[in-house]
Amino acid sequence: MLAAFVARPIVELKQRDKSKIESILAYGDRLLIGLNTGSLRIYRINEFIDESDPEDEAQAPDGNGPQPKRNAVDLMREQEKFSKYKIELLAIVKEANLLISLSNSYVSIHDLQTFELQETFAKTKGASTFAVTSNIVKDPSTGVPSIVSRLAVAIKRRLLLWSWHDSELVSETNELTLITGIKTLTWATGSKLIAGLSSSYVLVDVTSNLVTDIVGPGSIGGAPGQDGGRFGGVSVAGMSYIGIAGSAPKPLATRLKDGELLLAKDINTFFIDTDGNSLGRRQIPWSVAPEAIGYSYPYLLALQSSKGTLEVRNPETVNVLQTISLPHATQIHVPQPNVSLAHAGKGFLVISERCIWRMRALDYDSQINALIEGEKLDEAISLIEMLEDALVKDKKGRLREIKMLKAQTLFDQRRFRESLELFADVQAPPERVIRLYPPLIAGTESSPTDDQDSKSTLSQDELETHKEKGSRAGGSLRSNHGPPVTKAEDTKPSIKSRQKNGDATGDSDALKTKETLEGRDLKFATEELRIFLVSARTKLQRFLNPDGTLKVDTMGPAEVSHQEVNSLLVKQSAGSLADREQELRDTAKLLDTTLFRAYMFASPSLVGPLFRIDNFCDPDVVNEKLIETGRYNDLVDFFYGKKLHRPALELLKKFGQRDEEDEAAPQLAGPRRTVAYLQNLPPEMIDLILEFAEWPLRKDPELGMEIFLADTENAETLPRAVVLDFLQGIDKKLAMKYLEHLIHELNDTTPEFHQRIVDLYIDGLKSNGFASEMKRALWKEKTLDFLKQSQSYQPYKALRQLSSDDPKLYEARAIVLSKMGQHKQALDIYVFKLENPDKAEEYCNQIHLTEISPTDSSSQQRRYSYLDPDDAPGVGHGPIARERLVQGRAGFGGVIGVVEPDTDELADITHAGADAVIGIELGQDADIGRADLGEALGGQRLPADVADNAGEITDGAVFGKDGRLLGALGTNAQQLHGSTPGVRRRRPSR
């Protein structure tokens, strides 16, 4: 139970004193007591006495011994003839230095210093009560603030109003008449008054004279036909008053904080605002109507005279926090201003006919601790929220801690969703929440602290208290590591002990929760934990990079970031940035590892997605758990995310090389998973890639080559020379496939790669291992095309591999010679070794187009021709050779169609000899007739007439002087000079 106030009697009338206390007034350090004899006693209140320990004696200033103990109050004087009748009510108008009293049904004003009577308001004859208020009001026209005090006096149904403006009494008196007799008056604001009538309440605006009925439950004053009270319009208690005492309970009212008011009549209550509107708060469950109510910040007070007790309640929760025994007490007096921060902790007074108690308020931190110790966590939370920040040490931190204790209590009660939501709301450290779970979820964090250690933090008095309370759970409780605990241990430690330990690991009920949390309860609790951990994980990512380093640049203001970081830690971090970084890494590891366990227990399918994002899971825990459950595919994903590539690849190799598919890991069968894994490794891990790429390449070469041929950045940026050497060591075909990919798809022009693929192509040409001639032909075609098109290999290196005696290599050798500029030798191969006039002619045409510049200004161009085939090696003499050349359409003569590119005339043939090859230089343009041509050809006649114009030359053969074939005219020449303007041909008649 809360100990918010301590009652101490400060004034007690002696037995020989026959007076009775009727009224009191406290202001400053003065206490005025009105007696039934009409006397007024004035006391001074001693504020600085030590009331916590009345046995202590203060030391004298000179230190020579104890100083006599001071009294709580000192009687200063007694005004015996203050009034002829009992003094029923006292109040002050401090600004006007006036004391106001109610005696003999009249309201009088006195001097506050001398207490001499100044005036008795004659209009107040028959007054039953009054109320005074003082407020600072700004003048609406000038805006100048002034102190306005108002006095409201109830005379049966009439309401009289006086006012003072800056100590000056306003001569005008306002009067209102209400529907029934006025029983009580309470100021709601500086200008609004609550009047408790015989049957209802009204709100009176004294500035506009507007009277508003307040509609409330039951006897508060419901609308016609309304019966909203807890026991109807008249309660059992009310009937007892009517039947026995002959009168109903008074309508009571008191101001609360923030413009709230409480109306109470009989056992019905009604919370309203200053406009008379309901606040929607539940009624106070009184069984007996209170004699008086009041408000001492921040508590609601109710005096139960029939019980002789004072109740201290929370106005928010309306629960009783403290009950104080005060026999025969009849009134509550709270010094003004009772609703402001200035009143906080100053206490109040309770009055009986013979005694006045001073209710000293304990400091609020002690009150909060008492509520926590009494396990009234909701009340502690409500109290902290009601108090101003200045009244509580570290209000924000205390509130967070108590809410975490409440969440822990909810967890013990199996209210997991409420518990975890509250933990999330207050941003509880993940470690604290995780410790509530059994080892299946929390791992080693769940291992309970030695129960004896936690008990040792309690005092002997606390242990005795717990022995008396007994175990809330009942029965004996077995620890995790020993026999049943003793009777002294079979009690629930106070929440205070939880705070000392910093968590619940020393709490018996918490241990019981972890031991018995299983089945559906555990699964439901784990589902809620998942949500909490994901939220905490998101918050943690604001401070940690994926590699575990601290995000210093995004931490924000130092104070704010420090608080946010500390909210993730059980112990407050006060170290350097490096220490904070390590603490956060440890928290992240615990959080992700616990999340992994939670997924494995409740939703194993979510483990994979967790591993595919950056995480801080403990590799040892994950490895052990996944192997235990046979989730090897998830283990591979985890290894990849943690960059533990070697263990992952070894696991893939282990399952991939098995001949039969493993039921535990069907996804890992074969090389496909390994290939996909290797494709995602960066180029700098080339050694590891090549180490584990060999077995997929040998088992499934086509699939294995996807490691190096895939259209990905990783594959394209691998060190190509290293990969090529590796592949060539396994199989030359794989190396050639990789080279073709580099050259044809990635357009790599590295000379080394071009040379190596040329070497591989030539080796293929030399081999006899083709399955069919068609495959050989395709290989040859591919080789020759590459030799022609590539400009990056070194022809002389290729030529060394091309034997001049191997017919399979003739054409390749001719192409390489051509690359080297050895056109004569190349043409020699086409003509005499391959005996292919078409290719020879094609070669000649190619050389003409590629090596003779069409923009050359020189009119003389050089041509090559074989003039004397008989002298050429490998051709032979006689009619057979000549016929062979003629049947080949004399293609070789195409090169001696000695036609100037820009004329239709034939050039002089200035020289013709017996050499196998001569160069005919084209001279100046000249007209060559039939005779001249014959002369040039040694006087021999042509087989066909040659027109005077070169454009009329017919197809035919040109022979040398010895009768040998010299060349061809006509069509073949046309083919050579088809693009030359000015040359005309005419086909002979057949």
Side-chain angles (χ1 to χ4, degrees):
M1 183 73 68
L2 173 67
F5 299 98
V6 175
R8 180 180 181 183
I10 58 173
V11 175
E12 293 182 272
L13 299 183
K14 297 179 180 179
Q15 288 186 350
R16 66 176 180 268
D17 188 349
K18 303 304 180 182
S19 303
K20 294 181 181 180
I21 300 173
E22 294 288 342
S23 61
I24 66 170
L25 173 66
Y27 63 96
D29 63 345
R30 293 293 185 267
L31 173 62
L32 308 182
I33 300 177
L35 303 177
N36 64 336
T37 60
S39 296
L40 181 70
R41 292 180 183 176
I42 300 96
Y43 292 85
R44 180 181 63 212
I45 302 175
N46 297 318
E47 291 286 348
F48 302 102
I49 62 173
D50 183 8
E51 298 179 355
S52 61
D53 190 356
E55 300 299 326
D56 290 345
E57 293 183 347
Q59 292 294 319
D62 58 4
N64 294 325
Q67 180 179 347
K69 189 177 68 173
R70 298 174 62 188
N71 295 322
V73 295
D74 294 325
L75 178 62
M76 299 181 65
R77 59 182 289 191
E78 181 174 351
Q79 192 81 6
E80 293 185 354
K81 296 182 179 180
F82 183 81
S83 174
K84 295 180 181 180
Y85 304 94
K86 64 179 180 180
I87 305 171
E88 301 177 33
L89 195 59
L90 293 171
I92 63 169
V93 180
K94 188 174 182 181
E95 293 71 27
N97 198 32
L98 297 177
L99 174 64
I100 303 175
S101 67
L102 174 63
S103 179
N104 193 29
S105 300
Y106 281 95
V107 174
S108 304
I109 58 175
H110 308 258
D111 184 272
L112 189 58
Q113 301 301 322
T114 64
F115 305 106
E116 295 294 332
L117 177 65
Q118 291 187 353
E119 180 182 359
T120 298
F121 294 129
K123 291 183 179 181
T124 61
K125 181 180 179 180
S128 58
T129 187
F130 69 81
V132 176
T133 185
S134 296
N135 300 275
I136 297 176
V137 179
K138 286 186 177 181
D139 187 279
S141 58
T142 63
V144 177
S146 62
I147 299 178
V148 177
S149 300
R150 290 188 170 93
L151 169 64
V153 181
I155 308 169
K156 298 183 180 179
R157 294 171 53 199
R158 292 187 301 137
L159 180 64
L160 300 181
L161 296 164
W162 284 266
S163 62
W164 287 261
H165 289 257
D166 289 332
S167 76
E168 295 294 330
L169 178 63
V170 178
S171 58
E172 297 180 1
T173 302
N174 193 11
E175 181 175 341
L176 294 172
T177 301
L178 304 181
I179 56 174
T180 60
I182 304 171
K183 302 296 183 182
T184 58
L185 293 174
T186 306
W187 286 100
T189 66
S191 60
K192 293 182 179 181
L193 185 70
I194 297 289
L197 308 181
S198 300
S199 59
S200 63
Y201 290 86
V202 294
L203 179 65
V204 180
D205 189 331
V206 298
T207 57
S208 63
N209 293 338
L210 179 63
V211 179
T212 304
D213 291 329
I214 297 177
V215 179
S219 58
I220 295 297
Q226 179 178 352
D227 185 13
R230 292 189 294 125
F231 298 104
V234 179
S235 71
V236 175
M239 292 179 66
S240 65
Y241 271 90
I242 294 174
I244 300 174
S247 62
K250 290 190 303 181
L252 306 176
T254 185
R255 288 177 62 184
L256 307 175
K257 68 165 188 172
D258 300 331
E260 298 178 358
L261 296 99
L262 172 65
L263 309 182
K265 187 174 182 183
D266 195 5
I267 58 172
N268 293 303
T269 57
F270 191 43
F271 289 92
I272 62 171
D273 60 17
T274 54
D275 294 325
N277 300 317
S278 172
L279 296 178
R281 202 172 298 168
R282 72 186 182 95
Q283 293 197 53
I284 299 174
W286 279 321
S287 59
V288 178
E291 180 72 16
I293 62 173
Y295 179 79
S296 177
Y297 181 90
Y299 297 111
L300 174 65
L301 311 171
L303 190 60
Q304 301 279 1
S305 297
S306 60
K307 296 181 178 180
T309 59
L310 174 71
E311 289 183 351
V312 179
R313 291 181 179 265
N314 183 330
E316 299 289 339
T317 64
V318 304
N319 292 325
V320 177
L321 301 179
Q322 184 180 11
T323 301
I324 305 172
S325 178
L326 298 172
H328 311 297
T330 58
Q331 297 181 47
I332 298 174
H333 176 73
V334 182
Q336 300 297 319
N338 65 321
V339 296
S340 71
L341 188 59
H343 175 72
K346 299 221 166 144
F348 56 96
L349 303 174
V350 178
I351 310 148
S352 71
E353 291 182 350
R354 305 287 297 175
C355 182
I356 299 176
W357 290 273
R358 182 180 184 186
M359 311 304 296
R360 183 175 65 86
L362 300 179
D363 68 277
Y364 293 112
D365 288 301
S366 298
Q367 295 181 37
I368 294 169
N369 291 338
L371 288 171
I372 295 173
E373 183 66 23
E375 301 178 11
K376 295 183 177 294
L377 299 179
D378 287 324
E379 298 298 337
I381 293 170
S382 178
L383 176 59
I384 292 181
E385 290 176 341
M386 288 190 296
L387 293 173
E388 299 293 336
D389 293 353
L391 301 177
V392 184
K393 295 178 182 178
D394 187 19
K395 175 180 176 179
K396 186 176 180 180
R398 290 297 303 273
L399 183 60
R400 176 172 179 260
E401 175 64 26
I402 296 171
K403 286 186 175 181
M404 285 193 289
L405 289 174
K406 179 184 176 182
Q408 184 173 317
T409 301
L410 292 172
F411 191 92
D412 295 342
Q413 297 170 357
R414 299 295 197 270
R415 297 161 65 180
F416 302 117
R417 176 164 297 173
E418 297 174 65
S419 172
L420 272 295
E421 286 178 353
L422 185 54
F423 273 127
D425 288 342
V426 299
Q427 298 180 345
E431 181 180 355
R432 181 165 184 167
V433 180
I434 291 169
R435 287 179 179 177
L436 298 175
Y437 286 78
L440 179 64
I441 303 299
T444 57
E445 286 299 320
S446 179
S447 298
T449 305
D450 190 344
D451 201 44
Q452 293 293 340
D453 293 341
S454 68
K455 297 295 181 182
S456 65
T457 62
L458 299 175
S459 66
Q460 186 62 33
D461 292 339
E462 288 174 322
L463 285 175
E464 292 298 328
T465 301
H466 297 318
K467 289 178 184 179
E468 294 175 3
K469 289 183 179 179
S471 174
R472 283 174 51 179
S476 64
L477 175 66
R478 293 182 178 269
S479 66
N480 285 340
H481 305 290
V485 295
T486 64
K487 183 177 180 180
E489 293 169 334
D490 190 7
T491 59
K492 180 175 181 178
S494 64
I495 295 181
K496 184 177 181 180
S497 69
R498 294 188 192 179
Q499 290 181 296
K500 290 180 180 179
N501 293 326
D503 55 53
T505 56
D507 189 332
S508 298
D509 271 7
L511 294 181
K512 181 176 180 180
T513 298
K514 286 187 287 188
E515 289 179 353
T516 60
L517 192 59
E518 57 187 5
R520 294 181 58 187
D521 284 345
L522 179 57
K523 187 163 186 178
F524 184 70
T526 304
E527 291 288 349
E528 297 302 323
L529 177 65
R530 283 173 41 199
I531 299 173
F532 171 83
L533 293 178
V534 169
S535 176
R537 193 176 191 278
T538 302
K539 182 181 177 183
L540 193 63
Q541 289 174 344
R542 294 178 50 201
F543 306 105
L544 280 183
N545 292 308
D547 60 355
T549 57
L550 199 62
K551 293 181 178 179
V552 181
D553 55 335
T554 59
M555 294 274 298
E559 294 183 1
V560 176
S561 62
H562 188 71
Q563 293 174 359
E564 291 179 344
V565 168
N566 284 340
S567 70
L568 294 165
L569 308 174
V570 170
K571 295 181 180 179
Q572 300 297 301
S573 174
S576 63
L577 280 179
D579 295 335
R580 187 182 301 183
E581 179 179 304
Q582 183 59 45
E583 290 168 352
L584 286 175
R585 268 200 303 268
D586 293 342
T587 300
K589 182 178 179 180
L590 171 64
L591 194 154
D592 282 354
T593 304
T594 306
L595 185 60
F596 159 72
R597 290 194 185 99
Y599 281 153
M600 286 297 296
F601 175 73
S603 303
S605 61
L606 296 178
V607 169
L610 173 63
F611 294 157
R612 287 189 280 273
I613 60 177
D614 296 318
N615 65 81
F616 295 89
C617 293
D618 187 339
D620 294 335
V621 173
V622 173
N623 187 53
E624 178 183 356
K625 193 70 175 177
L626 292 181
I627 291 178
E628 176 186 333
T629 56
R631 302 187 68 86
Y632 298 102
N633 193 49
D634 290 333
L635 183 57
V636 171
D637 289 337
F638 172 72
F639 283 148
Y640 179 81
K642 303 299 288 184
K643 295 181 173 55
L644 300 172
H645 301 303
R646 180 171 293 278
L649 290 168
E650 288 175 349
L651 187 65
L652 290 171
K653 183 178 180 180
K654 173 184 175 183
F655 286 95
Q657 288 185 322
R658 291 181 178 176
D659 295 333
E660 296 182 1
E661 183 179 292
D662 195 310
E663 295 181 358
Q667 307 97 325
L668 307 185
R672 184 171 300 278
R673 191 74 169 80
T674 300
V675 170
Y677 193 100
L678 294 173
Q679 284 177 329
N680 287 285
L681 295 183
E684 53 267 23
M685 305 190 73
I686 183 63
D687 292 338
L688 189 66
I689 294 173
L690 298 183
E691 178 183 348
F692 287 93
E694 183 173 354
W695 78 265
L697 285 169
R698 295 189 183 282
K699 189 163 187 176
D700 189 341
E702 183 175 355
L703 178 61
M705 282 301 293
E706 288 299 313
I707 300 171
F708 311 106
L709 305 184
D711 187 15
T712 63
E713 183 178 357
N714 284 345
E716 294 178 6
T717 54
L718 290 173
R720 297 172 180 178
V722 176
V723 173
L724 182 58
D725 291 340
F726 167 73
L727 294 175
Q728 191 151 355
I730 298 176
D731 190 338
K732 289 184 178 181
K733 293 180 181 179
L734 300 180
M736 188 179 68
K737 189 173 184 179
Y738 183 63
L739 285 168
E740 290 175 343
H741 171 73
L742 295 180
I743 295 170
H744 299 313
E745 297 185 26
L746 302 184
N747 299 318
D748 194 323
T749 58
T750 303
E752 179 188 357
F753 297 156
H754 283 249
Q755 187 61 49
R756 292 182 71 166
I757 197 172
V758 165
D759 294 345
L760 292 173
Y761 280 155
I762 292 175
D763 289 344
L765 283 179
K766 294 178 181 179
S767 70
N768 296 316
F770 292 99
S772 65
E773 287 300 321
M774 180 177 294
K775 289 187 176 181
R776 175 184 290 279
L778 292 175
W779 183 275
K780 180 179 179 181
E781 181 182 358
K782 177 170 64 174
T783 303
L784 298 180
D785 287 344
F786 185 80
L787 290 173
K788 291 177 184 178
Q789 295 170 5
S790 174
Q791 304 296 324
S792 299
Y793 69 93
Q794 297 180 357
Y796 74 92
K797 289 185 178 181
L799 186 63
R800 286 202 298 263
Q801 302 179 60
L802 297 170
S803 172
S804 60
D805 299 328
D806 190 345
K808 296 190 296 292
L809 304 179
Y810 284 161
E811 191 166 357
R813 183 177 177 83
I815 294 173
V816 173
L817 287 170
S818 176
K819 287 280 186 180
M820 299 173 66
Q822 302 296 325
H823 302 300
K824 176 181 178 300
Q825 295 181 35
L827 192 58
D828 181 78
I829 292 173
Y830 286 122
V831 174
F832 300 114
K833 291 187 177 182
L834 295 177
E835 299 178 358
N836 192 328
D838 290 335
K839 288 190 176 181
E841 183 179 357
E842 179 184 354
Y843 178 73
C844 291
N845 292 337
Q846 178 185 353
I847 296 304
H848 169 70
L849 294 175
T850 57
E851 294 195 0
I852 300 178
S853 173
T855 59
D856 195 343
S857 60
S858 175
S859 62
Q860 293 185 357
Q861 301 289 347
R862 184 168 299 279
R863 302 288 189 267
Y864 294 97
S865 177
Y866 283 87
L867 299 180
D868 196 349
D870 288 344
D871 294 335
V875 176
H877 301 273
I880 298 177
R882 185 175 294 110
E883 181 181 0
R884 185 169 58 208
L885 292 177
V886 172
Q887 289 177 352
R889 299 180 62 208
F892 316 113
V895 295
I896 62 167
V898 275
V899 180
E900 184 66 18
D902 296 324
T903 181
D904 290 335
E905 304 295 336
L906 293 173
D908 281 331
I909 301 178
T910 60
H911 178 75
D915 295 336
V917 179
I918 61 172
I920 302 176
E921 295 186 1
L922 304 180
Q924 297 296 326
D925 294 345
D927 292 334
I928 301 177
R930 188 190 306 250
D932 295 330
L933 182 58
E935 183 179 353
L937 296 176
Q940 300 295 324
R941 293 189 57 84
L942 298 174
D945 293 335
V946 179
D948 292 337
N949 194 294
E952 298 175 358
I953 297 175
T954 61
D955 289 342
V958 179
F959 294 90
K961 60 184 178 180
D962 56 358
R964 297 178 181 176
L965 178 66
L966 179 63
L969 297 177
T971 303
N972 292 324
Q974 174 100 18
Q975 292 175 356
L976 179 62
H977 297 286
S979 59
T980 304
V983 178
R984 298 184 300 276
R985 301 287 186 265
R986 183 177 64 188
R987 188 175 302 275
S989 57
R990 301 284 178 170

